[in-house]
Amino acid sequence: MKDHIKELNERFTKEMSQVCDQRSLEELRLAFLSKKGQVSQLMSELAKIPNEQKKEAGALINSFKQDIIKRFDDKLEEIKKAEEERLISSAESYDESLPEKRRKGSYHPITLVQRELEQIFASMGFDVEDYSEIVDDYHCFEALNIPKFHPARDMQDTYYLSTPNQLLKSHTSAAQNAIMYKYGKLLKENGRPIRAVFPGRCFRNEAIDACHENTFFQMEGIMIDKNISISNLIYFMKTMLSEVFERDVTVRLRPGFFPFVEPGFELDIQCLICNGDGCPSCKNTGWLELCPCGMIHPNVLRMGGINTEDDPYAYTGFAFGLGLTRLAMMKYGVKDIRTFNEGDLNALSQFVSK
Ligand code: DAH
């Protein structure tokens, strides 16, 4: 009996050393401790041996049994602990229902471009202004020389609220009048030029496709002082765009019509991909349309309280309306405008600031 137990003990020790998970441990447990297992067989052998040896043999079997039960328990503990540690170290396994790995938040690409522009303009002495998204008809249109029933309103169909006269602003130009009132006194009494940029979310009733969204961002800017001319406009635009694209850019002005500027322009930059030779990105023209702008219309300056009817040209100024969303598309090479509003973290977390 002694030898048999010794031999079983060696076999158990060897097989136990090969156990690596709960399943193989259970198999080993069944082989030794189940009804038909090795320990039960030892017990049935006990019946066959002479009575005087039974007591000692029984004690041996019992201590062998207790010993292997303890070793099973210890091994089970060890396996469970290892499994727990593995789970902790690989966080994904904690909740397999999570759609994707958790990650740190990141700024939206439009926020990144907006902040960069704000810094550039601030360094050129511009105030950065905030303005509401709900505006009235007067500020969005009339104060910008777009009277009721003017055809220019067709391009800016937007969302009207049930409150009379309230709408979601269709362009950041809607803040021009308020900014003129805010800083006009300082201009006239202290000679402090008005220099302000006002970024904001805009809304339009659009058929949505890769280039059009009903919600998009613009950054408007105005500068008003004595003797402001188109040269000032070109200088500021060129400086700002060279900073944004981190290289010298070539710009050109084409005539463009906007009721609130006279003259009005479309500002193009030479294509940064082909340097003006022509490529698919610039539709083979060598130029990209980037920013409508112009000299602020005398009617707008008058309605903004800057000039009087007697002296309609006392102060002059320029205005521009940068498409922030478009700029972000060009800067980051985003081909579909919908990417910005879809909330797909895989796409949106790829952008980092400088
Ligand atoms: N507000 C115009 C739009 O959204 C863009 C614009 C054009 C703004 C000319 C300006 C400007 O300041 O001078 O279509």
Side-chain angles (χ1 to χ4, degrees), residues 156 171 173 176 204 218 220 258 260-261 292-294 319-321:
Q156 304 220 2
H171 54 174
S173 311
Q176 280 195 17
R204 280 189 206 175
Q218 293 185 337
E220 187 95 359
F258 304 94
F260 36 93
V261 280
C293 52
F320 58 87

Side-chain angles (χ1 to χ4, degrees), residues 206-214 329 335-339:
E206 289 281 1
I208 295 172
D209 62 24
C211 307
H212 300 89
E213 253 289 9
N214 56 21
M329 286 171 84
K335 295 205 174 68
D336 193 322
I337 194 171
R338 289 166 287 199
T339 312

Side-chain angles (χ1 to χ4, degrees), residues 133-144:
E133 290 172 357
I134 298 175
V135 296
D136 59 19
D137 188 273
Y138 178 78
H139 286 90
C140 201
F141 301 119
E142 303 232 354
L144 290 163

Side-chain angles (χ1 to χ4, degrees), residues 296-335:
I296 303 174
H297 196 287
N299 286 351
V300 176
L301 287 171
R302 185 174 39 78
M303 283 186 274
I306 303 290
N307 289 334
T308 56
E309 257 174 72
D310 302 339
D311 194 359
Y313 296 100
Y315 293 92
T316 50
F318 65 76
F320 58 87
L322 251 181
L324 273 188
T325 305
R326 254 200 99 195
L327 198 63
M329 286 171 84
M330 287 173 60
K331 188 170 159 77
Y332 294 115
V334 175
K335 295 205 174 68

Side-chain angles (χ1 to χ4, degrees), residues 26 33 87 106 153 173 175 192 203 354:
E26 180 61 8
L33 292 170
L87 281 175
S106 57
R153 290 196 179 207
S173 311
R192 179 187 188 267
F203 307 85
K354 286 198 280 183

Side-chain angles (χ1 to χ4, degrees), residues 12 27-40 64-66 68-70 72:
F12 179 82
E27 277 167 14
L28 187 61
R29 194 186 68 78
L30 290 174
F32 277 82
L33 292 170
S34 68
K35 270 187 190 158
K36 289 181 185 160
Q38 299 295 340
V39 174
S40 295
F64 173 59
K65 187 178 170 186
Q66 294 313 318
I68 61 174
I69 286 176
K70 181 163 187 315
F72 271 119

Side-chain angles (χ1 to χ4, degrees), residues 232-274:
N232 300 108
L233 167 65
I234 296 175
Y235 169 79
F236 277 103
M237 291 291 104
K238 235 187 121 148
T239 310
M240 179 272 293
L241 292 170
S242 303
E243 293 257 352
V244 172
F245 291 105
E246 294 164 42
R247 56 193 269 197
D248 256 351
V249 293
T250 310
V251 301
R252 74 170 184 192
L253 293 181
R254 283 180 294 122
F257 174 73
F258 304 94
F260 36 93
V261 280
E262 178 57 37
F265 308 105
E266 289 287 356
L267 184 140
D268 298 339
I269 57 166
Q270 200 166 64
C271 179
L272 300 167
I273 296 168
C274 63

